[in-house]
PDB file of all heavy atoms in Angstrom:
ATOM      1  N   ASN A  57      98.385 130.188  86.995  1.00  0.00           N
ATOM      2  CA  ASN A  57      97.294 130.578  87.896  1.00  0.00           C
ATOM      3  C   ASN A  57      97.412 129.889  89.241  1.00  0.00           C
ATOM      4  O   ASN A  57      97.318 130.534  90.288  1.00  0.00           O
ATOM      5  CB  ASN A  57      95.934 130.246  87.277  1.00  0.00           C
ATOM      6  CG  ASN A  57      95.612 131.106  86.091  1.00  0.00           C
ATOM      7  OD1 ASN A  57      96.018 132.254  86.011  1.00  0.00           O
ATOM      8  ND2 ASN A  57      94.896 130.544  85.148  1.00  0.00           N
ATOM      9  N   ILE A  58      97.602 128.588  89.221  1.00  0.00           N
ATOM     10  CA  ILE A  58      97.691 127.834  90.471  1.00  0.00           C
ATOM     11  C   ILE A  58      98.828 128.376  91.324  1.00  0.00           C
ATOM     12  O   ILE A  58      98.667 128.572  92.530  1.00  0.00           O
ATOM     13  CB  ILE A  58      97.902 126.334  90.197  1.00  0.00           C
ATOM     14  CG1 ILE A  58      96.690 125.755  89.458  1.00  0.00           C
ATOM     15  CG2 ILE A  58      98.168 125.576  91.495  1.00  0.00           C
ATOM     16  CD1 ILE A  58      96.921 124.370  88.881  1.00  0.00           C
ATOM     17  N   TYR A  59      99.954 128.653  90.709  1.00  0.00           N
ATOM     18  CA  TYR A  59     101.117 129.120  91.458  1.00  0.00           C
ATOM     19  C   TYR A  59     100.850 130.464  92.135  1.00  0.00           C
ATOM     20  O   TYR A  59     101.095 130.617  93.331  1.00  0.00           O
ATOM     21  CB  TYR A  59     102.346 129.204  90.553  1.00  0.00           C
ATOM     22  CG  TYR A  59     103.589 129.528  91.325  1.00  0.00           C
ATOM     23  CD1 TYR A  59     104.249 128.546  92.038  1.00  0.00           C
ATOM     24  CD2 TYR A  59     104.087 130.827  91.370  1.00  0.00           C
ATOM     25  CE1 TYR A  59     105.390 128.839  92.781  1.00  0.00           C
ATOM     26  CE2 TYR A  59     105.219 131.131  92.097  1.00  0.00           C
ATOM     27  CZ  TYR A  59     105.865 130.134  92.798  1.00  0.00           C
ATOM     28  OH  TYR A  59     106.986 130.431  93.536  1.00  0.00           O
ATOM     29  N   VAL A  60     100.333 131.428  91.390  1.00  0.00           N
ATOM     30  CA  VAL A  60     100.114 132.755  91.987  1.00  0.00           C
ATOM     31  C   VAL A  60      99.028 132.720  93.057  1.00  0.00           C
ATOM     32  O   VAL A  60      99.087 133.472  94.025  1.00  0.00           O
ATOM     33  CB  VAL A  60      99.829 133.865  90.933  1.00  0.00           C
ATOM     34  CG1 VAL A  60     101.039 134.067  90.035  1.00  0.00           C
ATOM     35  CG2 VAL A  60      98.581 133.586  90.124  1.00  0.00           C
ATOM     36  N   TRP A  61      98.050 131.854  92.910  1.00  0.00           N
ATOM     37  CA  TRP A  61      97.031 131.708  93.946  1.00  0.00           C
ATOM     38  C   TRP A  61      97.620 131.055  95.190  1.00  0.00           C
ATOM     39  O   TRP A  61      97.370 131.494  96.307  1.00  0.00           O
ATOM     40  CB  TRP A  61      95.861 130.872  93.450  1.00  0.00           C
ATOM     41  CG  TRP A  61      95.132 131.439  92.274  1.00  0.00           C
ATOM     42  CD1 TRP A  61      95.057 132.755  91.889  1.00  0.00           C
ATOM     43  CD2 TRP A  61      94.372 130.710  91.317  1.00  0.00           C
ATOM     44  NE1 TRP A  61      94.297 132.883  90.751  1.00  0.00           N
ATOM     45  CE2 TRP A  61      93.865 131.638  90.375  1.00  0.00           C
ATOM     46  CE3 TRP A  61      94.075 129.365  91.145  1.00  0.00           C
ATOM     47  CZ2 TRP A  61      93.066 131.253  89.302  1.00  0.00           C
ATOM     48  CZ3 TRP A  61      93.283 128.977  90.069  1.00  0.00           C
ATOM     49  CH2 TRP A  61      92.784 129.913  89.166  1.00  0.00           C
ATOM     50  N   ALA A  62      98.405 130.010  94.979  1.00  0.00           N
ATOM     51  CA  ALA A  62      98.956 129.249  96.110  1.00  0.00           C
ATOM     52  C   ALA A  62      99.918 130.088  96.946  1.00  0.00           C
ATOM     53  O   ALA A  62      99.922 129.987  98.167  1.00  0.00           O
ATOM     54  CB  ALA A  62      99.652 127.991  95.610  1.00  0.00           C
ATOM     55  N   VAL A  63     100.719 130.918  96.278  1.00  0.00           N
ATOM     56  CA  VAL A  63     101.696 131.726  97.024  1.00  0.00           C
ATOM     57  C   VAL A  63     101.114 133.055  97.485  1.00  0.00           C
ATOM     58  O   VAL A  63     101.782 133.815  98.177  1.00  0.00           O
ATOM     59  CB  VAL A  63     103.007 131.948  96.224  1.00  0.00           C
ATOM     60  CG1 VAL A  63     103.682 130.633  95.896  1.00  0.00           C
ATOM     61  CG2 VAL A  63     102.763 132.770  94.970  1.00  0.00           C
ATOM     62  N   GLY A  64      99.885 133.351  97.108  1.00  0.00           N
ATOM     63  CA  GLY A  64      99.210 134.554  97.581  1.00  0.00           C
ATOM     64  C   GLY A  64      99.495 135.813  96.793  1.00  0.00           C
ATOM     65  O   GLY A  64      99.217 136.915  97.258  1.00  0.00           O
ATOM     66  N   ARG A  65     100.008 135.669  95.585  1.00  0.00           N
ATOM     67  CA  ARG A  65     100.269 136.851  94.754  1.00  0.00           C
ATOM     68  C   ARG A  65      99.005 137.408  94.125  1.00  0.00           C
ATOM     69  O   ARG A  65      98.941 138.588  93.791  1.00  0.00           O
ATOM     70  CB  ARG A  65     101.273 136.516  93.645  1.00  0.00           C
ATOM     71  CG  ARG A  65     102.662 136.320  94.148  1.00  0.00           C
ATOM     72  CD  ARG A  65     103.640 136.201  93.027  1.00  0.00           C
ATOM     73  NE  ARG A  65     104.940 135.783  93.546  1.00  0.00           N
ATOM     74  CZ  ARG A  65     105.829 135.127  92.861  1.00  0.00           C
ATOM     75  NH1 ARG A  65     105.588 134.799  91.604  1.00  0.00           N
ATOM     76  NH2 ARG A  65     106.970 134.790  93.403  1.00  0.00           N
ATOM     77  N   GLU A  66      98.015 136.542  93.936  1.00  0.00           N
ATOM     78  CA  GLU A  66      96.722 136.966  93.400  1.00  0.00           C
ATOM     79  C   GLU A  66      95.621 136.297  94.202  1.00  0.00           C
ATOM     80  O   GLU A  66      95.808 135.208  94.747  1.00  0.00           O
ATOM     81  CB  GLU A  66      96.584 136.566  91.923  1.00  0.00           C
ATOM     82  CG  GLU A  66      97.480 137.351  90.997  1.00  0.00           C
ATOM     83  CD  GLU A  66      97.246 137.002  89.529  1.00  0.00           C
ATOM     84  OE1 GLU A  66      96.237 136.341  89.200  1.00  0.00           O
ATOM     85  OE2 GLU A  66      98.085 137.401  88.720  1.00  0.00           O
ATOM     86  N   GLU A  67      94.472 136.959  94.247  1.00  0.00           N
ATOM     87  CA  GLU A  67      93.320 136.401  94.949  1.00  0.00           C
ATOM     88  C   GLU A  67      92.781 135.204  94.169  1.00  0.00           C
ATOM     89  O   GLU A  67      92.732 135.222  92.942  1.00  0.00           O
ATOM     90  CB  GLU A  67      92.232 137.465  95.090  1.00  0.00           C
ATOM     91  CG  GLU A  67      91.109 137.028  95.974  1.00  0.00           C
ATOM     92  CD  GLU A  67      90.140 138.151  96.260  1.00  0.00           C
ATOM     93  OE1 GLU A  67      90.558 139.310  96.300  1.00  0.00           O
ATOM     94  OE2 GLU A  67      88.942 137.824  96.434  1.00  0.00           O
ATOM     95  N   VAL A  68      92.372 134.207  94.898  1.00  0.00           N
ATOM     96  CA  VAL A  68      91.813 133.000  94.295  1.00  0.00           C
ATOM     97  C   VAL A  68      90.381 133.299  93.842  1.00  0.00           C
ATOM     98  O   VAL A  68      89.576 133.787  94.636  1.00  0.00           O
ATOM     99  CB  VAL A  68      91.804 131.833  95.311  1.00  0.00           C
ATOM    100  CG1 VAL A  68      91.205 130.583  94.685  1.00  0.00           C
ATOM    101  CG2 VAL A  68      93.198 131.574  95.850  1.00  0.00           C
ATOM    102  N   PRO A  69      90.062 133.044  92.570  1.00  0.00           N
ATOM    103  CA  PRO A  69      88.686 133.247  92.115  1.00  0.00           C
ATOM    104  C   PRO A  69      87.714 132.374  92.923  1.00  0.00           C
ATOM    105  O   PRO A  69      88.074 131.295  93.392  1.00  0.00           O
ATOM    106  CB  PRO A  69      88.725 132.789  90.650  1.00  0.00           C
ATOM    107  CG  PRO A  69      90.162 132.885  90.258  1.00  0.00           C
ATOM    108  CD  PRO A  69      90.946 132.594  91.498  1.00  0.00           C
ATOM    109  N   ALA A  70      86.508 132.819  93.041  1.00  0.00           N
ATOM    110  CA  ALA A  70      85.501 132.146  93.870  1.00  0.00           C
ATOM    111  C   ALA A  70      85.338 130.671  93.522  1.00  0.00           C
ATOM    112  O   ALA A  70      85.201 129.830  94.411  1.00  0.00           O
ATOM    113  CB  ALA A  70      84.161 132.868  93.740  1.00  0.00           C
ATOM    114  N   GLU A  71      85.378 130.335  92.238  1.00  0.00           N
ATOM    115  CA  GLU A  71      85.147 128.941  91.841  1.00  0.00           C
ATOM    116  C   GLU A  71      86.273 127.998  92.274  1.00  0.00           C
ATOM    117  O   GLU A  71      86.107 126.787  92.292  1.00  0.00           O
ATOM    118  CB  GLU A  71      84.897 128.812  90.331  1.00  0.00           C
ATOM    119  CG  GLU A  71      86.073 129.211  89.459  1.00  0.00           C
ATOM    120  CD  GLU A  71      86.039 130.660  88.998  1.00  0.00           C
ATOM    121  OE1 GLU A  71      85.415 131.498  89.680  1.00  0.00           O
ATOM    122  OE2 GLU A  71      86.639 130.957  87.960  1.00  0.00           O
ATOM    123  N   TYR A  72      87.418 128.573  92.653  1.00  0.00           N
ATOM    124  CA  TYR A  72      88.547 127.750  93.109  1.00  0.00           C
ATOM    125  C   TYR A  72      88.795 127.883  94.611  1.00  0.00           C
ATOM    126  O   TYR A  72      89.752 127.301  95.127  1.00  0.00           O
ATOM    127  CB  TYR A  72      89.821 128.108  92.334  1.00  0.00           C
ATOM    128  CG  TYR A  72      89.714 127.771  90.874  1.00  0.00           C
ATOM    129  CD1 TYR A  72      89.531 128.765  89.920  1.00  0.00           C
ATOM    130  CD2 TYR A  72      89.780 126.454  90.436  1.00  0.00           C
ATOM    131  CE1 TYR A  72      89.424 128.460  88.573  1.00  0.00           C
ATOM    132  CE2 TYR A  72      89.665 126.135  89.091  1.00  0.00           C
ATOM    133  CZ  TYR A  72      89.493 127.143  88.167  1.00  0.00           C
ATOM    134  OH  TYR A  72      89.383 126.827  86.845  1.00  0.00           O
ATOM    135  N   GLN A  73      87.967 128.631  95.303  1.00  0.00           N
ATOM    136  CA  GLN A  73      88.100 128.762  96.758  1.00  0.00           C
ATOM    137  C   GLN A  73      87.457 127.544  97.410  1.00  0.00           C
ATOM    138  O   GLN A  73      86.276 127.554  97.745  1.00  0.00           O
ATOM    139  CB  GLN A  73      87.463 130.063  97.245  1.00  0.00           C
ATOM    140  CG  GLN A  73      88.249 131.271  96.828  1.00  0.00           C
ATOM    141  CD  GLN A  73      87.600 132.562  97.294  1.00  0.00           C
ATOM    142  OE1 GLN A  73      86.561 132.564  97.934  1.00  0.00           O
ATOM    143  NE2 GLN A  73      88.224 133.672  96.962  1.00  0.00           N
ATOM    144  N   THR A  74      88.258 126.504  97.577  1.00  0.00           N
ATOM    145  CA  THR A  74      87.792 125.224  98.098  1.00  0.00           C
ATOM    146  C   THR A  74      88.668 124.792  99.269  1.00  0.00           C
ATOM    147  O   THR A  74      89.711 125.408  99.533  1.00  0.00           O
ATOM    148  CB  THR A  74      87.879 124.142  97.007  1.00  0.00           C
ATOM    149  OG1 THR A  74      89.261 123.965  96.661  1.00  0.00           O
ATOM    150  CG2 THR A  74      87.075 124.530  95.765  1.00  0.00           C
ATOM    151  N   ASN A  75      88.254 123.733  99.916  1.00  0.00           N
ATOM    152  CA  ASN A  75      89.083 123.181 100.989  1.00  0.00           C
ATOM    153  C   ASN A  75      90.426 122.689 100.446  1.00  0.00           C
ATOM    154  O   ASN A  75      91.441 122.774 101.132  1.00  0.00           O
ATOM    155  CB  ASN A  75      88.341 122.054 101.720  1.00  0.00           C
ATOM    156  CG  ASN A  75      87.999 120.885 100.824  1.00  0.00           C
ATOM    157  OD1 ASN A  75      87.686 121.043  99.637  1.00  0.00           O
ATOM    158  ND2 ASN A  75      88.018 119.698 101.389  1.00  0.00           N
ATOM    159  N   VAL A  76      90.446 122.228  99.220  1.00  0.00           N
ATOM    160  CA  VAL A  76      91.695 121.764  98.610  1.00  0.00           C
ATOM    161  C   VAL A  76      92.631 122.950  98.375  1.00  0.00           C
ATOM    162  O   VAL A  76      93.833 122.863  98.660  1.00  0.00           O
ATOM    163  CB  VAL A  76      91.420 120.986  97.304  1.00  0.00           C
ATOM    164  CG1 VAL A  76      92.706 120.669  96.575  1.00  0.00           C
ATOM    165  CG2 VAL A  76      90.647 119.707  97.606  1.00  0.00           C
TER     166      VAL A  76
END
Side-chain angles (χ1 to χ4, degrees):
N57 291 329
I58 296 168
Y59 187 79
V60 296
W61 299 335
V63 300
R65 288 189 190 153
E66 290 184 13
E67 189 172 329
V68 179
E71 64 266 25
Y72 295 105
Q73 290 179 0
T74 64
N75 62 325
V76 172

